Amino acid sequence: MIENATPDIGSAHAPSRAAPVHPSFGEAFRTFGRIGLLSFGGPAGQIALMHRVLVEEKRWLDETRFLHALNYCMLLPGPEAMQLATYAGWLLHGVKGGLAAGLLFVLPGAAVLMALSAAYFFLGDVPLVAGLLFGLKAAVLALVVEALIRVAKRALKGSMAYPIAAAAFAGIAFLALPFPLVIAAAALWGTAARLGGAPDAGGAGGPTLSLAEQKSSGFAGFAGTTLLWLAIWFLPLVPLALALGVEHVLVRQAIFFSQMAVVTFGGAYAVLAYVGQEAVATYGWLGAGEMITGLGLAETTPGPLILVLMFVGFLGAARQGGFDPLTGGIAGALVTLWFTFAPCFLFIFAGAPFIERVRNVQWLRSALAGVSAAVVGVIASLALWFGLHVLFAEVGQASAGPFAWLVPELGSFDPAAAAIAMAAGVALLRFHVNLFAVLGAAALAGMALRLLL
């Protein structure tokens, strides 16, 4: 069944009211494939891209449904943007839609990072990659700003929404508070506001119907789905351990990255220090400086930033696998990929049916509305971090007491990046040019500038 959408916000060229479109599986597959190929910019850019395509251009999800799904994904460990893509695909075409959307979001970047990891191992550093994708990253900055404006207009409703968003921004940007703490505090704030009789913080309201006919799981369905995906998650571990022994590097990586999958709240940066310490000091899979190299490679490829773990797995197994380096590296990267991302499908397919069923429970709606407001602050902090690192070659940090903030080196300002970002922003916000055309033009401009300068 198809629902009536909330009015499209912040878009003068859209009709004031329109029914969401239900795409064929083939059309959804092609669109999520394009999203996967262009999902640069970390979670801020990726959420912005999906919002632009799924809500603004395709109208497959309305704003309320998009924010409801995003709220849930923000509460989960692991890459929230990949889980959001999986949730969206599940809404449209059930489990096969979720699988397709999630895999298409991850696999293009995984393939690129596999190749870059091999190139780094055998050839050394690959600085050309950053130059080739320079223009694309600058254009993503405009996309992030556009999404922030649109999501803020929809989520910041009610008297409590603005203080929640501001507190979330300050907590992430200036206090480096743990991401789960910020989201949990926003949920409690929203619930308390509801119980205290204050208006909702905004965002997750309005009765809606599912975009695809989903079976209500109930406890039996939840248990069955959970057991199935736990089995899929750990299926490769048994033959690996039997064939290679429990001390082999591939078995250790399977166990280690499974642990990472359930504690990676806040994305790649939140877990990078711990992974670096364990991978370098405990396991000796790579050198201290190589973690930063891997992060740089992951930042220049599409897909979740947590794909940096594939670089760790590749180097560790190439050096310690007992195979030839290429075979070992590929095996390590694939093991890392499987045990990092299989849990994401478990979290969505087991949890999303319940999240859909409780959309109209008032106190839970208020809790999720608080999360919606906090998400605006989180996206703003991510946009600030991303924008400074796109526009300035050198970004340091200053602190005073418990507060710390980013300080760009003004002399490292990149006028070419700023020009591409400004042009992309004008094209998107003023002239409503097709997103993929803007990104393509920005990529070409970036390559041309890098060749000329």
Side-chain angles (χ1 to χ4, degrees):
M1 290 181 288
I2 296 179
E3 61 193 318
N4 288 328
T6 55
D8 186 21
I9 50 93
S11 181
H13 65 291
S16 61
R17 196 169 181 83
V21 177
H22 192 82
S24 67
F25 179 75
E27 184 181 2
F29 188 93
R30 290 189 294 272
T31 298
F32 280 109
R34 289 196 295 272
I35 289 173
L37 289 170
L38 294 171
S39 56
F40 295 87
Q46 292 155 3
I47 292 167
L49 175 65
M50 280 186 279
H51 182 273
R52 172 84 181 198
V53 174
L54 301 180
V55 178
E56 300 295 330
E57 294 184 357
K58 298 293 186 179
R59 294 189 294 108
W60 292 348
L61 301 177
D62 65 18
E63 197 81 37
T64 299
R65 178 58 57 79
F66 183 87
L67 285 174
H68 185 78
L70 178 58
N71 291 341
Y72 174 60
C73 295
M74 283 285 188
L75 296 173
L76 298 173
E80 61 268 31
M82 179 268 183
Q83 290 170 129
L84 178 61
T86 304
Y87 198 130
W90 174 82
L91 283 172
L92 296 171
H93 285 285
V95 171
K96 75 172 184 179
L99 278 172
L103 290 173
L104 289 169
F105 191 86
V106 170
L107 292 182
V112 174
L113 196 59
M114 179 86 77
L116 292 177
S117 299
Y120 174 83
F121 184 84
F122 292 105
L123 303 176
D125 206 357
V126 283
L128 179 62
V129 175
L132 292 176
L133 300 174
F134 164 76
L136 199 54
K137 291 181 68 176
V140 167
L141 176 57
L143 184 62
V144 170
V145 173
E146 181 197 39
L148 177 62
I149 293 170
R150 294 185 185 278
V151 172
K153 286 182 178 179
R154 179 61 182 88
L156 299 183
K157 301 287 181 66
S159 59
M160 302 304 296
Y162 285 93
I164 291 176
F169 175 81
I172 296 290
F174 301 126
L175 291 171
L177 294 179
F179 182 81
L181 177 62
V182 172
I183 296 300
L188 290 173
W189 193 339
T191 303
R194 176 72 189 183
L195 296 177
D200 283 350
T208 55
L209 300 173
S210 178
L211 300 183
E213 293 185 5
Q214 305 290 344
K215 293 181 179 179
S216 297
S217 63
F219 179 76
F222 170 80
T225 301
T226 300
L227 290 174
L228 172 63
W229 279 95
L230 282 173
I232 292 172
W233 178 1
F234 290 106
L235 184 63
L237 183 57
V238 175
L240 279 176
L242 290 176
L244 301 173
V246 294
E247 297 300 319
H248 193 273
V249 62
L250 294 179
V251 178
R252 288 191 169 191
Q253 288 179 344
I255 296 172
F256 178 72
F257 290 119
S258 292
Q259 295 170 343
M260 288 301 95
V262 297
V263 299
T264 51
F265 293 96
Y269 292 110
V271 77
L272 185 62
Y274 176 72
V275 171
Q277 180 181 2
E278 292 296 305
V280 174
T282 302
Y283 297 108
W285 292 336
L286 73 173
E290 289 178 321
M291 277 299 301
I292 302 303
T293 299
L295 183 61
L297 295 179
E299 285 180 328
T300 61
T301 59
L305 196 57
I306 203 72
L307 282 172
V308 64
L309 300 183
M310 285 184 64
F311 180 78
V312 177
F314 187 101
L315 294 189
R319 290 164 176 165
Q320 301 178 11
F323 315 108
D324 69 89
L326 182 59
T327 300
I330 291 174
L334 291 177
V335 164
T336 303
L337 183 69
W338 182 279
F339 287 94
T340 298
F341 289 99
C344 298
F345 294 106
L346 165 63
F347 300 148
I348 297 302
F349 295 147
F354 285 97
I355 295 300
E356 289 300 301
R357 289 172 61 188
V358 300
R359 274 202 321 277
N360 295 318
V361 176
Q362 293 301 316
W363 70 267
L364 186 57
R365 279 179 50 193
S366 297
L368 291 178
V371 175
S372 284
V375 163
V376 175
V378 172
I379 293 176
S381 68
L382 291 171
L384 175 64
W385 186 95
F386 182 64
L388 289 176
H389 284 81
V390 167
L391 297 178
F392 296 90
E394 299 178 19
V395 180
Q397 190 175 65
S399 62
F403 299 96
W405 57 93
L406 296 174
V407 180
E409 173 56 51
L410 298 181
S412 69
F413 177 73
D414 191 334
I420 293 175
M422 287 288 293
V426 171
L428 291 171
L429 292 168
R430 176 65 182 86
F431 296 104
H432 311 296
V433 177
N434 178 272
L435 171 64
F436 298 109
V438 172
L439 293 179
L444 290 174
M447 286 188 284
L449 285 170
R450 282 301 194 219
L451 289 174
L452 293 173
L453 297 179

